[in-house]
Amino acid sequence: FFSFLFSSQTVSVCCLLMMGSVVGFVVLLCLVAGCCNGLLTPPPKCITSFSEDGSIPQSAWSCAVNAVVGRYGFEESFGAVFASHNNTLFNNLPYDVFTTLRSSLEKNYPLHVVELQAISSALAKLGHHVSVEYLAGWVWFHELAHTSASTLDTLLLPTGCTALLTRRSDRKGFFHARNMDQSPAQARNLTVHFVFVDAQDKTKVLFSAVDWYWFTTGFMTAAKKGVVSVQENWRTVTPPFSVDQVIRDVTKGIIPQVFLFRETMQRGLNSSQLLETWATTPLASPMYVVATTTESAVIITRENDHYNATTMEESAWYLVQTNYDPWLPDNPKDPRRTHAISMLESFGDIEAMGQSSMGAYAIASAPGVKNDATAYTCAMDIVTPNVNAIYMCVVHS
């Protein structure tokens, strides 16, 4: 039924929530949160296998490019996003930075360069020239946005990304709701849902990913059944790094942040190995990694070369993370975490909220947690049988 539902053009939050296990509670929560007014659209879906060399084939990137441009047009998707971040970042960088970034990728991640060429080619076939050098800049967007070259508002007041992790009432795992926040508004139009299947057995899903960053050949939201669900949240650095510092890390071969989840999940690591790798891999800029496994729910606060882990205690039933260190209070001007916790404690307990991912999803979609920059909201469930790991994902209007 859900496959049919999500093949339709638009669905309301209330309609989705009424199908949860805790119908009365969730519908009430939906009404109280005021989230029944908006219509949501599922992102385009591209199903693909990895090639023998480990790359994602050109057909998958063509699927994504054509789906986005076909639905929204270039100017209301790629064009608007590129123009916005050119103004706040990329126009502030000399051209040799882009050539250096491409050269580093060719040396350290050559298969990704082939994929960037496939994306550039797919856009060119639609009449839009986007160079591989420019896409290489986007591969390092997260790191460069932490530098003094960026004039992004997020350096002053981040309002990007929320994670809600709730314990299942049977205590056999967790539910995971995720908001991806990004500007400009047209960034949401780039969102694509990728399903990676086994090359020999197309019925076997390896893992799924959702993102608007996919044109970097990486992603920031992913889940694998029985193993892990994960998202990245922005973490501010003060003062910002210099561009030279990031370029030094790039030339050392440090992995781009946007590659980290794909590279590790593609290797088939188990949950413990994934969490350890995400916590300890050297980075060129900080971030939060928020994840669930069948055994744990954790917020990993990353510096470039070390980390702090905040794990849901056995007596607790939720964790919430936005863009501030878990041990620090919210910025008074951005109380998303405070609002989410207040709703969790006011409207739910583990018996109500722990029977379905819909409770966490409703709170993630509620005003005060969701904001104007929220591109998409996903519900992830790696435990429940016969339910996709990325249970549902919708793009906000």
Side-chain angles (χ1 to χ4, degrees):
F1 180 77
F2 270 102
S3 297
F4 168 77
L5 175 66
F6 279 92
S7 66
S8 64
Q9 286 299 307
T10 55
V11 290
S12 71
V13 178
C14 279
C15 290
L16 295 174
L17 296 179
M18 287 174 68
M19 296 170 195
S21 300
V22 282
V23 176
F25 162 71
V26 175
V27 171
L28 174 62
L29 178 58
C30 183
L31 290 169
V32 171
C35 62
C36 295
N37 296 323
L39 292 178
L40 310 174
T41 305
K45 182 181 290 186
C46 295
I47 301 173
T48 187
S49 301
F50 291 104
S51 302
E52 289 186 6
D53 62 5
S55 65
I56 297 173
Q58 181 170 353
S59 59
W61 300 122
S62 295
C63 169
V65 168
N66 292 336
V68 167
V69 176
R71 180 181 288 189
Y72 299 105
F74 182 85
E75 293 305 324
E76 286 301 309
S77 56
F78 293 98
V81 171
F82 291 168
S84 175
H85 292 286
N86 288 346
N87 289 335
T88 59
L89 177 61
F90 292 121
N91 287 348
N92 301 329
L93 300 171
Y95 184 73
D96 62 357
V97 167
F98 296 92
T99 57
T100 298
L101 297 177
R102 175 173 178 165
S103 296
S104 176
L105 290 174
E106 288 176 333
K107 176 182 178 181
N108 298 295
Y109 300 96
L111 293 181
H112 286 271
V113 177
V114 174
E115 295 177 23
L116 292 174
Q117 290 170 333
I119 294 169
S120 177
S121 176
L123 286 165
K125 288 179 179 178
L126 298 177
H128 308 289
H129 175 70
V130 180
S131 70
V132 174
E133 286 79 8
Y134 181 69
L135 293 176
W138 272 98
V139 169
W140 294 97
F141 169 78
H142 180 89
E143 291 80 0
L144 292 168
H146 282 85
T147 70
S148 54
S150 176
T151 60
L152 288 169
D153 291 341
T154 48
L155 291 177
L156 301 175
L157 182 62
T159 54
C161 305
T162 299
L164 286 90
L165 314 180
T166 57
R167 191 185 298 276
R168 290 167 57 97
S169 57
D170 60 9
R171 295 190 168 270
K172 295 181 180 179
F174 307 87
F175 299 117
H176 185 163
R178 189 273 206 269
N179 282 351
M180 162 62 84
D181 303 342
Q182 185 54 269
S183 63
Q186 292 89 342
R188 68 199 64 200
N189 297 342
L190 292 170
T191 307
V192 174
H193 184 176
F194 290 89
V195 180
F196 298 100
V197 298
D198 187 272
Q200 312 312 312
D201 179 4
K202 297 297 197 296
T203 65
K204 180 181 178 183
V205 176
L206 303 178
F207 62 91
S208 299
V210 173
D211 223 318
W212 72 272
Y213 281 112
W214 58 266
F215 57 87
T216 65
T217 70
F219 45 77
M220 290 289 94
T221 306
K224 181 173 183 177
K225 202 69 180 178
V227 180
V228 74
S229 64
V230 66
Q231 70 177 77
E232 170 270 347
N233 285 19
W234 171 276
R235 185 168 185 244
T236 299
V237 58
T238 305
F241 298 138
S242 68
V243 173
D244 288 344
Q245 178 179 338
V246 170
I247 295 300
R248 284 195 297 270
D249 286 338
V250 167
T251 55
K252 289 177 186 176
I254 284 180
I255 190 170
Q257 173 253 19
V258 76
F259 287 179
L260 183 60
F261 297 162
R262 172 185 164 182
E263 289 287 319
T264 48
M265 294 182 74
Q266 193 173 340
R267 283 156 49 193
L269 302 181
N270 64 37
S271 58
S272 297
Q273 292 169 327
L274 287 169
L275 292 181
E276 181 179 3
T277 303
W278 296 337
T280 60
T281 297
L283 300 174
S285 62
M287 67 173 178
Y288 301 102
V289 176
V290 188
T292 74
T293 71
T294 57
E295 304 294 331
S296 64
V298 62
I299 302 164
I300 302 172
T301 302
R302 281 301 315 265
E303 299 283 357
N304 289 11
D305 55 4
H306 63 278
Y307 73 96
N308 178 285
T310 303
T311 302
M312 188 185 299
E313 297 179 358
E314 188 61 33
S315 60
W317 61 275
Y318 66 79
L319 274 178
V320 179
Q321 176 60 23
T322 55
N323 304 100
Y324 311 101
D325 293 346
W327 53 91
L328 296 177
D330 275 350
N331 185 315
K333 296 181 180 179
D334 178 28
R336 283 171 293 136
R337 181 174 55 186
T338 301
H339 284 317
I341 291 173
S342 176
M343 282 187 279
L344 282 164
E345 294 184 343
S346 297
F347 297 111
D349 56 30
I350 188 171
E351 294 306 318
M353 296 289 290
Q355 295 186 43
S356 168
S357 59
M358 296 297 93
Y361 178 89
I363 291 176
S365 301
V369 181
K370 171 186 173 293
N371 60 64
D372 290 342
T374 301
Y376 63 80
T377 300
C378 289
M380 294 181 276
D381 178 354
I382 63 171
V383 175
T384 304
N386 303 316
V387 170
N388 293 332
I390 297 183
Y391 186 55
M392 64 179 179
C393 200
V394 290
V395 180
H396 293 280
S397 60

